[in-house]
């Protein structure tokens, strides 16, 4: 039976301070890099969610030695330097795009015979660009339903590959997968990137984390070279709080006229979604760094203005901006977000459909790969979430202002932030009946 959450109308102007989980992007990269390392590595601040549990489950099936301590938000992994303890495993990556892309390349480079399965949602997401490269290098990949998609059998032994060209237009995860695992090839790997996100935030996170784990990369003629056979050992790694999750609370600040602090978020974060705070400042809502974390000062906002913004580099916040935009005094235009059509849902279509369901004037801008949202008062609506965690969390925000929004299938936020709606209830006293 489908669940529903009626978002409580927030009252009062008291400031709030919240704790968000660890970053999904950093957690899943750290899990892979720790497995690639030599010897034990203790990860602190780990996000425990559907996605990270999918990666952990796969690592367990592959025979890695793990100590999982959810209450302490810690995982200890004994890395094997690129050798797979059980090279004939059957894996299910569930709905985790990072697990799907990262593990497929890892297993192909390490070698073995694997059965790879996924959720019905992940089966719809593209894998063909990655599978095509691996096939050309000598891997035998047998797709068992739709060609270029999960599920498939992966058989790989001593691949012949020295250079790859990866299109980042649909997903930069393909490039990150090759970057992190390139050292497993005896001669290393040169990664050339094409498309409009070759220097994107997630690529930069990947390279920064490789450096933190001791994996060298070299710039060569516009490409990135990863020397082969590198040995790394990192005893401990601390994962940053999730800026993507923090931004839902930061979006509440201008909407409710309150001050919002998120613990552990500071301007030196490597996560690209921090740019959302610059958008809020442009709209008229200032922020400041404090000892506890960045505080967005909704109480000091005099006017809340619409903006025109290119969100290509922090597109996970498209929905957050879209749902607070109707409350601005002028229209908001979001551009260069075409790639979000291929994520957990067709997010452009989903945003427009659900805002229109509320009575908001919102439509696509095909020539700009974007959307336009005009000011308006959202009416009563039950929001469909399309099994998309970001739709569920973002669309709760207008409900806090109006008290007229119900979220369908709130449990889909387990993908990255499983206690999000519990936290809303704790902060604002809902849900109302």
């Amino acid at each position: 039976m489908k669940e529903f959450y009626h978002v409580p109308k927030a009252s009062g102007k008291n400031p709030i301070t919240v704790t968000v989980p660890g970053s999904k992007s950093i957690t899943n990269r750290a899990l892979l890099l720790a497995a690639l390392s030599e010897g034990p590595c203790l990860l602190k601040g780990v996000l425990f969610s559907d996605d990270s549990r999918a990666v952990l489950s796969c690592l367990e099936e592959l025979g890695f030695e793990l100590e999982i301590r959810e209450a302490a938000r810690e995982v200890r992994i004994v890395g094997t330097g690129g050798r797979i303890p059980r090279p004939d495993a059957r894996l299910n990556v569930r709905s985790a795009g990072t697990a799907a892309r990262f593990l497929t390349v890892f297993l192909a480079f390490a070698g073995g015979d694997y059965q790879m399965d996924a959720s019905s949602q992940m089966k719809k997401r593209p894998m063909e660009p990655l599978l095509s490269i691996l096939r050309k290098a000598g891997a035998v990949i047998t797709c068992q339903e739709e060609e270029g998609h999960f599920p498939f059998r992966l058989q790989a032994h001593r691949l012949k590959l020295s250079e790859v060209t990866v299109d980042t237009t649909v997903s930069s995860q393909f490039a990150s997968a090759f970057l992190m695992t390139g050292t497993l090839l005896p001669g290393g790997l040169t990664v050339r990137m094409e498309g409009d996100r070759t220097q994107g935030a997630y690529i930069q996170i990947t390279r920064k984390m490789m450096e933190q784990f001791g994996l060298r990369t070299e710039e060569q003629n516009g490409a990135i070279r990863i020397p082969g056979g590198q040995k790394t050992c990192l005893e401990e790694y601390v994962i940053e709080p999730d800026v993507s999750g923090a931004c839902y609370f930061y979006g509440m600040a201008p909407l409710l006229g309150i001050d919002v602090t998120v613990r552990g978020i500071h301007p030196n974060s490597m996560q690209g979604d921090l740019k959302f705070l610059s958008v809020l400042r442009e709209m008229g809502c200032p922020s400041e760094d404090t000892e506890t974390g960045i505080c967005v000062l909704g109480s000091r906002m005099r006017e809340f203005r619409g903006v025109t913004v290119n969100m290509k580099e922090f597109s996970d916040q498209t929905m957050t901006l879209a749902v607070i935009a109707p409350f601005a005094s002028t229209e908001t235009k979001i551009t260069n977000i075409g790639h979000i059509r291929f994520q957990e849902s067709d997010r452009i279509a989903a945003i427009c459909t659900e805002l229109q369901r509320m009575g908001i004037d919102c439509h696509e801008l095909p020539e700009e790969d974007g959307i336009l949202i005009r000011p308006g008062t959202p009416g009563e609506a039950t929001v469909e979430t399309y099994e998309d965690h970001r739709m569920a969390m973002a669309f709760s925000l207008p409900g806090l202002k109006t008290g007229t929004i119900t979220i369908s299938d709130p449990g889909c936020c387990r993908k990255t932030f499983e206690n999000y709606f519990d936290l809303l209830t704790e902060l604002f006293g809902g849900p109302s009946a």
Side-chain angles (χ1 to χ4, degrees):
M1 181 183 293
K2 184 175 283 190
E3 296 179 349
F4 297 89
Y5 180 95
H6 186 78
V7 183
K9 184 175 182 179
S11 60
K13 296 293 182 179
N14 292 331
I16 63 173
T17 299
V18 297
T19 299
V20 299
S23 162
K24 180 194 77 168
S25 301
I26 295 177
T27 291
N28 286 350
R29 282 165 173 78
L31 290 171
L32 178 63
L33 290 167
L36 284 166
S37 301
E38 299 275 359
C41 177
L42 178 62
L43 303 178
K44 294 185 173 183
V46 172
L47 165 70
F48 285 98
S49 67
D50 279 357
D51 271 23
S52 60
R53 290 191 185 99
V55 179
L56 288 166
S57 175
C58 287
L59 291 176
E60 285 185 315
E61 289 296 327
L62 291 166
F64 284 91
E65 182 184 335
L66 304 177
E67 291 180 24
I68 300 170
R69 300 188 282 269
E70 288 206 18
R73 299 192 298 140
E74 293 180 354
V75 174
R76 180 180 179 272
I77 300 179
V78 180
T80 56
R83 180 184 61 82
I84 304 296
R86 191 180 298 145
D88 58 352
R90 300 176 66 88
L91 307 178
N92 190 321
V93 301
R94 306 180 196 176
S95 297
T98 46
R101 281 70 183 256
F102 297 172
L103 287 173
T104 297
V105 178
F106 178 25
L107 299 180
F109 286 2
D113 185 346
Y114 307 96
Q115 177 61 43
M116 309 287 290
D117 206 350
S119 70
S120 57
Q121 184 194 61
M122 188 63 219
K123 288 178 182 179
K124 299 173 186 175
R125 297 178 67 180
M127 288 289 291
E128 176 55 37
L130 187 152
L131 300 184
S132 178
I133 291 171
L134 296 178
R135 280 171 166 155
K136 290 175 183 177
V140 177
I141 300 171
T142 307
C143 293
Q144 293 152 332
E145 292 180 13
E146 184 179 354
E147 182 57 44
H149 294 261
F150 281 93
F152 53 83
R153 182 181 179 185
L154 169 64
Q155 298 165 281
H157 302 281
R158 297 195 180 104
L159 299 190
K160 295 180 179 178
L161 191 65
S162 60
E163 183 173 315
V164 295
T165 300
V166 183
D167 187 351
T168 63
T169 302
V170 172
S171 176
S172 63
Q173 290 172 357
F174 299 139
S176 288
F178 285 108
L179 289 170
M180 287 189 288
T181 56
T183 191
L184 296 181
L185 299 174
L189 184 67
T190 299
V191 180
R192 296 189 181 279
M193 287 178 278
E194 297 178 341
D196 57 4
R197 290 187 291 166
T198 60
Q199 297 296 321
Y202 290 110
I203 297 294
Q204 298 307 314
I205 288 175
T206 298
R207 294 192 66 189
K208 177 67 173 177
M209 289 185 65
M210 289 173 66
E211 176 186 315
Q212 290 170 337
F213 272 84
L215 288 174
R216 301 190 322 278
T217 63
E218 304 164 354
E219 300 274 358
Q220 285 189 357
N221 301 319
I224 301 172
R225 174 75 183 163
I226 303 97
Q230 297 185 63
K231 302 296 182 184
T232 69
C233 182
L234 188 65
E235 292 183 358
E236 184 176 297
Y237 185 81
V238 179
I239 292 161
E240 293 182 3
D242 185 30
V243 174
S244 299
C247 285
Y248 303 118
F249 296 95
Y250 285 144
M252 296 172 192
L255 207 59
L256 305 177
I258 61 175
D259 295 345
V260 177
T261 304
V262 182
R263 294 183 180 92
I265 302 291
H266 295 285
N268 62 353
S269 168
M270 69 174 104
Q271 298 169 68
D273 279 9
L274 205 63
K275 293 178 182 177
F276 182 67
L277 299 184
S278 299
V279 177
L280 292 181
R281 285 193 291 272
E282 186 179 348
M283 298 178 85
C285 189
S287 57
E288 65 182 16
D289 191 27
T290 72
E291 186 176 341
T292 303
I294 292 175
C295 179
V296 175
L297 300 160
S299 66
R300 298 187 193 174
M301 184 181 65
R302 290 192 173 88
E303 180 189 4
F304 190 48
R305 304 177 293 272
V307 288
T308 295
V309 57
N310 178 340
M311 294 192 75
K312 180 175 68 175
E313 297 301 340
F314 56 117
S315 60
D316 277 350
Q317 295 312 312
T318 300
M319 284 142 289
T320 319
L321 177 56
V323 298
I324 64 175
F327 300 93
S329 58
T330 57
E331 68 182 24
T332 290
K333 183 192 293 187
I334 305 171
T335 66
N336 279 305
I337 52 170
H339 59 282
I340 72 173
R341 291 190 183 280
F342 308 100
Q343 295 180 320
E344 283 82 349
S345 65
D346 178 344
R347 287 175 168 170
I348 291 180
I351 289 167
C352 292
T353 298
E354 299 311 314
L355 284 179
Q356 289 166 8
R357 193 191 302 276
M358 297 176 182
I360 296 300
D361 184 355
C362 172
H363 60 266
E364 296 188 30
L365 301 171
E367 68 282 359
E368 297 182 71
D369 272 339
I371 54 177
L372 179 71
I373 304 115
R374 292 195 170 95
T377 301
E380 185 171 353
T382 297
V383 174
E384 292 297 327
T385 51
Y386 310 90
E387 299 181 80
D388 189 334
H389 57 131
R390 301 212 181 279
M391 286 293 295
M393 291 186 281
F395 272 80
S396 68
L397 268 61
L400 294 172
K401 179 74 170 179
T402 67
T404 61
I405 302 301
T406 298
I407 303 296
S408 175
D409 188 25
C412 67
C413 70
R414 287 189 298 265
K415 184 177 177 69
T416 52
F417 200 153
E418 58 189 12
N419 69 327
Y420 176 79
F421 287 99
D422 292 335
L423 191 49
L424 282 197
T425 299
E426 180 183 323
L427 289 169
F428 301 109
S432 53

